Amino acid sequence: FEFDTLIINGKIATASECFNGDIAIKDGKIFAIAPDLKSLKAKSVIDAEGAYVTPGGVDGHTHIDQENTPGAKDYPYRGCDGFESGSRSSVAGGTTTFLAFAMQHKHRPDHSLSDVIGHYHDLATGNSYCDYGFHLIITDPKPERLAEFPKLIPEFGISSVKLYMTYDSLKLNDYEILHTISTARKAGITPMIHAENVDIITFFSEELEKLDLLDPYSHARSRPALAEQEATNRAIVLSEVMNVPILLVHVSSPGSVQRIRKGQGKGLPVYAETCPQYLLLTDSRLQHPNYEGAKCVCSPPLRPSKEDLDGLWNGCRNGTFTIISSDHCPFRMYSDEGKAVAIKDSGKPGGDWRLIPNGIPGIETRMPLIFTFGVCTGRLSIERFVQLTSTNTAKLYGMYPKKGSIIPGADADLVIWYPQDKYKPTVLTNEMLHHDCDYTAFEGMEMLNWPRFTVLRGQVVWDADKGEVTGTKGYGEYVSREPSWFAKNQVLFDDITQTAWKNEWRPQFDRPLFK
Ligand code: DUC
Ligand code: ZN
Ligand code: ZN
Ligand code: ZN
């Protein structure tokens, strides 16, 4: 009996423990984990040299080849990464599976959800270096569309939908949200909510416009933290009313963290996501001269202070945050003529933040940044790192334990890091990255480690020693997902409505580990 690959001398870290050991891989799956497997025969051997071996990263929030990503004025921008460049960048940063958005368009009421999903499959099939799945974005929850929800898991393997509370072209009102999340619950689908109060944003935007304040920093002023906190609170209330688990995406402010924690303290199934940009960058980045601040425009915006960053790190440490995703949403800063895109499109020499698409790239930098600023600084234990960047994402979105785990039978998706004493601290530059974007908002940060090898279903798809992506386009597979692993464990109590509702989640208690 010959194994395909042995990974030896690893410091194997999972969501719950860390131990020295070897891993044997056969047919793309983890076959055995033991203190010493060096006597086994294998076609190839990777010596981890005592470095951490963690599950491959699972990025729960990416915009890949998505049409019509919002700018403040709903100007229809298309991101600069398709499945090929996005997935190439993903593996080079240790992420072996990402979830991208399949977006329903309000202006195409004739498109069924199946049409929308088919469109994104066409874009992705044959083009991806890593595994991927889809969330649906619902912008028009009319009855015919909600009637499609029950087939999303059985037919399409999609167990999550994103809803927006802001942007005119995307937003749902509370009534529409209630309808959508109650339908989602019955179908075992987890709603993800973009929580910002649209009226506060509209009011502030108009005031800034009157004052002719159109620089990138003013984008952040138009979306104050309280707009996020109010909508976060409202989303939690709507989820409580309907007794539906929800995930709050890209949470940027400690005030929102506190509201989420309060809900969780009541026993509500409220989950939350933050992103490296909210943990590491402040809005001083937007005040850069020469319009460079446009590179850091995202929604919700970067927040002002170190206390904001600390408050979010606290949420990562204390369990309020379930996952850290990239929100990879890349747009080129410069047009082919070398002009900043928002200056060119606005025709104003000073540019106009209302024409800056909202989002920054980050699929490749997410794992190394959180490793550097979380694990290496001692802010996060290695186990908590694994939870936040991989295992919890796989559980939350119904891919566990195939993804996000190091156990026999799971996909052999792994990151082998550098032994800490072998890695020479490296200053991050955009030239190191594999996306199709012309900048990274994290330029100049000192990295203290980087994925040395990324392994996807047993294949080495990124080799940092060689400095190259060694996987092939098209190797990446679609991941058909099940209902959230978390929802099945919801212990709902103290309310008759909740007790009455909860049976619908029950079938999942009987779900076997592997089919
Ligand atoms: N929401 C996202 O999730 N990404 C970018 C812009 C936005 O509003
Ligand atoms: Zn369209
Ligand atoms: Zn969003
Ligand atoms: Zn996003």
Side-chain angles (χ1 to χ4, degrees), residues 61-63 66 69 101 137 162 164 194 249-250 273 275 299 326-329 358-359:
H61 187 148
T62 67
H63 302 265
Q66 187 185 315
T69 309
F101 292 101
I137 293 176
K162 182 179 177 188
Y164 284 80
H194 178 131
V249 291
H250 49 50
E273 167 195 86
C275 315
S299 289
S326 67
D327 198 359
H328 181 75
C329 193
N358 292 191

Side-chain angles (χ1 to χ4, degrees), residues 250-369:
H250 49 50
V251 173
S252 69
S253 71
S256 301
V257 176
Q258 278 161 20
R259 285 162 166 86
I260 291 162
R261 193 158 178 79
K262 194 168 160 220
Q264 292 169 341
K266 283 172 72 179
L268 301 175
V270 175
Y271 304 103
E273 167 195 86
T274 190
C275 315
Q277 51 272 37
Y278 303 119
L279 291 162
L280 298 171
L281 307 177
T282 60
D283 68 5
S284 60
R285 296 274 175 150
L286 302 166
Q287 293 165 300
H288 209 283
N290 302 329
Y291 215 66
E292 289 283 294
K295 291 179 176 175
C296 292
V297 167
C298 53
S299 289
L302 303 179
R303 301 302 179 191
S305 67
K306 182 174 175 303
E307 285 67 43
D308 290 310
L309 308 184
D310 289 345
L312 295 182
W313 279 110
N314 262 335
C316 291
R317 290 158 65 100
N318 70 19
T320 312
F321 284 116
T322 318
I323 61 175
I324 299 176
S325 308
S326 67
D327 198 359
H328 181 75
C329 193
F331 302 95
R332 290 213 183 99
M333 172 69 180
Y334 299 104
S335 65
D336 292 340
E337 305 96 279
K339 272 197 176 167
V341 173
I343 292 180
K344 179 172 159 281
D345 289 357
S346 67
K348 293 184 187 157
D352 183 340
W353 61 260
R354 296 168 300 172
L355 293 179
I356 303 172
N358 292 191
I360 66 173
I363 198 167
E364 187 168 347
T365 44
R366 178 186 70 116
M367 296 279 284
L369 283 171

Side-chain angles (χ1 to χ4, degrees), residues 359-380:
I360 66 173
I363 198 167
E364 187 168 347
T365 44
R366 178 186 70 116
M367 296 279 284
L369 283 171
I370 301 304
F371 194 96
T372 294
F373 293 98
V375 179
C376 295
T377 60
R379 281 181 175 122
L380 300 178

Side-chain angles (χ1 to χ4, degrees), residues 67-68 103-108 111:
E67 280 171 36
N68 198 25
M103 162 113 136
Q104 180 200 28
H105 285 287
K106 251 185 198 168
H107 67 272
R108 289 308 305 263
H111 284 180

Side-chain angles (χ1 to χ4, degrees), residues 57 59 62 84-98 129-131 363-364 367 434-435 454 462:
D59 193 338
T62 67
E84 179 174 346
S85 60
S87 65
R88 189 177 66 207
S89 188
S90 175
V91 296
T95 290
T96 46
T97 305
F98 63 76
Y129 286 87
C130 68
D131 289 356
I363 198 167
E364 187 168 347
M367 296 279 284
H434 298 76
H435 57 196
T454 305
W462 160 250

Side-chain angles (χ1 to χ4, degrees), residues 57-300:
V58 183
D59 193 338
H61 187 148
T62 67
H63 302 265
I64 306 288
D65 228 338
Q66 187 185 315
E67 280 171 36
N68 198 25
T69 309
K73 279 224 150 176
D74 289 330
Y75 193 77
Y77 284 101
R78 193 186 186 98
C80 58
D81 279 320
F83 281 86
E84 179 174 346
S85 60
S87 65
R88 189 177 66 207
S89 188
S90 175
V91 296
T95 290
T96 46
T97 305
F98 63 76
L99 296 175
F101 292 101
M103 162 113 136
Q104 180 200 28
H105 285 287
K106 251 185 198 168
H107 67 272
R108 289 308 305 263
D110 52 315
H111 284 180
S112 67
L113 299 183
S114 322
D115 294 335
V116 173
I117 297 162
H119 173 67
Y120 283 88
H121 272 296
D122 289 345
L123 293 171
T125 305
N127 286 324
S128 189
Y129 286 87
C130 68
D131 289 356
Y132 59 93
F134 300 128
H135 309 287
L136 265 173
I137 293 176
I138 302 295
T139 56
D140 180 9
K142 61 181 170 190
E144 305 97 281
R145 296 295 163 255
L146 294 185
E148 294 184 71
F149 274 30
K151 65 181 188 194
L152 290 181
I153 294 176
E155 275 184 39
F156 299 107
I158 293 181
S159 56
S160 45
V161 294
K162 182 179 177 188
L163 314 178
Y164 284 80
M165 298 172 91
T166 189
Y167 297 120
D168 287 337
S169 63
L170 307 176
K171 71 174 186 221
L172 307 190
N173 63 33
D174 293 354
Y175 176 83
E176 292 170 319
I177 291 173
L178 288 170
H179 265 288
T180 308
I181 67 176
S182 65
T183 310
R185 193 176 61 77
K186 289 175 202 157
I189 289 166
T190 303
M192 310 156 71
I193 313 268
H194 178 131
E196 286 185 292
N197 179 307
V198 66
D199 291 317
I200 294 177
I201 293 169
T202 304
F203 183 91
F204 277 79
S205 301
E206 288 172 2
E207 293 301 303
L208 290 158
E209 199 169 322
K210 280 183 218 158
L211 297 168
D212 209 28
L213 289 171
L214 300 176
D215 59 305
Y217 180 66
S218 297
H219 173 265
R221 299 283 71 74
S222 76
R223 315 176 84 97
L226 274 172
E228 180 186 73
Q229 291 161 25
E230 185 285 321
T232 298
N233 193 61
R234 185 154 38 97
I236 293 168
V237 172
L238 299 179
S239 121
E240 184 174 10
V241 162
M242 285 294 160
N243 187 25
V244 188
I246 57 163
L247 177 280
L248 291 148
V249 291
H250 49 50
V251 173
S252 69
S253 71
S256 301
V257 176
Q258 278 161 20
R259 285 162 166 86
I260 291 162
R261 193 158 178 79
K262 194 168 160 220
Q264 292 169 341
K266 283 172 72 179
L268 301 175
V270 175
Y271 304 103
E273 167 195 86
T274 190
C275 315
Q277 51 272 37
Y278 303 119
L279 291 162
L280 298 171
L281 307 177
T282 60
D283 68 5
S284 60
R285 296 274 175 150
L286 302 166
Q287 293 165 300
H288 209 283
N290 302 329
Y291 215 66
E292 289 283 294
K295 291 179 176 175
C296 292
V297 167
C298 53
S299 289

